[in-house]
Amino acid sequence: MSIPEILNELETELRSDESSLREWNVYYFNVHRRRYLQDANTFREYYQGGKILEIGSAPYHVTYMLHRMSPEVTGVDIAPERHTTFIEKLGLNIEKCNIETELLPFADRSFHYILLNEVFEHLRINPIQTLREINRVLHPNGTLILTTPNLYSIQNIVNLFLGKGFD
């Protein structure tokens, strides 16, 4: 299945969600759809097989895309109970963990790919310890894909002046 087809499938799932987060979830998806497409294309370019860990999974849009590309995806989030219905409906594997204060609940060197997409900039307590823990569960030949928002993009500067959020 192509990435645009996976995104369309995800949007359909979001629109059929009956939880109180439905409106926010659809809005968030539409705001970030372009980034999701870029992230998925980047991942597909590097993915050679193996277990995948996505850290900071909520709202689980990227987790779902990865799950559709490979069955070996695990997500980690601080409060997955916020989206229990969505997680269960889509059959996502999500572990609860505060990556700033807890050890990741996985064996050493257990993941070939770890995604830390637009999460690193939110770490406040000890980002170095969090990166050490990520390194512990990353396979020796594994790949870490870490992204942060470009706060200085033209679109973000325009959004700032218009009082909107960042892309």
Side-chain angles (χ1 to χ4, degrees):
M1 178 174 278
S2 74
I3 294 169
E5 289 171 327
I6 293 171
L7 286 170
N8 288 338
E9 183 180 85
L10 175 57
E11 184 176 19
T12 299
E13 290 293 342
L14 292 171
R15 290 185 183 286
S16 70
D17 185 16
E18 295 178 14
S19 77
S20 61
L21 293 172
R22 178 185 172 276
E23 302 257 338
W24 174 85
N25 222 340
V26 170
Y27 170 78
Y28 191 90
F29 173 80
N30 285 318
V31 167
H32 295 280
R33 185 182 190 120
R34 188 178 69 226
R35 178 176 58 85
Y36 291 158
L37 180 61
Q38 291 171 324
D39 290 348
N41 283 325
T42 298
F43 178 77
R44 190 169 265 173
E45 180 182 335
Y46 291 99
Y47 184 64
Q48 304 276 322
K51 291 174 69 177
I52 304 162
L53 178 64
E54 183 201 13
I55 298 176
S57 299
Y60 312 103
H61 301 160
V62 173
T63 314
Y64 177 78
M65 290 187 322
L66 295 171
H67 174 73
R68 296 294 284 133
M69 290 188 255
S70 169
E72 298 186 272
V73 177
T74 300
V76 169
D77 192 59
I78 194 169
E81 61 277 5
R82 296 175 291 185
H83 299 272
T84 301
T85 304
F86 186 71
I87 291 167
E88 290 175 357
K89 179 181 178 186
L90 299 178
L92 302 177
N93 180 20
I94 306 296
E95 294 287 331
K96 181 175 181 159
C97 180
N98 181 336
I99 62 168
E100 291 195 272
T101 61
E102 301 173 320
L103 299 178
L104 288 166
F106 310 109
D108 295 357
R109 304 180 190 112
S110 52
F111 292 94
H112 293 85
Y113 293 86
I114 298 180
L115 282 78
L116 191 66
N117 284 358
E118 304 210 12
V119 173
F120 187 76
E121 68 276 8
H122 298 281
L123 301 178
R124 306 173 321 281
I125 297 171
N126 189 348
I128 299 302
Q129 177 55 38
T130 300
L131 289 174
R132 280 189 190 116
E133 188 59 11
I134 289 168
N135 189 55
R136 179 186 66 79
V137 300
L138 184 62
H139 189 275
N141 296 322
T143 301
L144 169 64
I145 300 174
L146 185 153
T147 66
T148 61
N150 177 1
L151 298 179
Y152 297 107
S153 72
I154 295 295
Q155 185 61 53
N156 283 339
I157 292 169
V158 169
N159 286 346
L160 176 67
F161 284 116
L162 295 175
K164 298 179 180 179
F166 294 114
D167 261 349

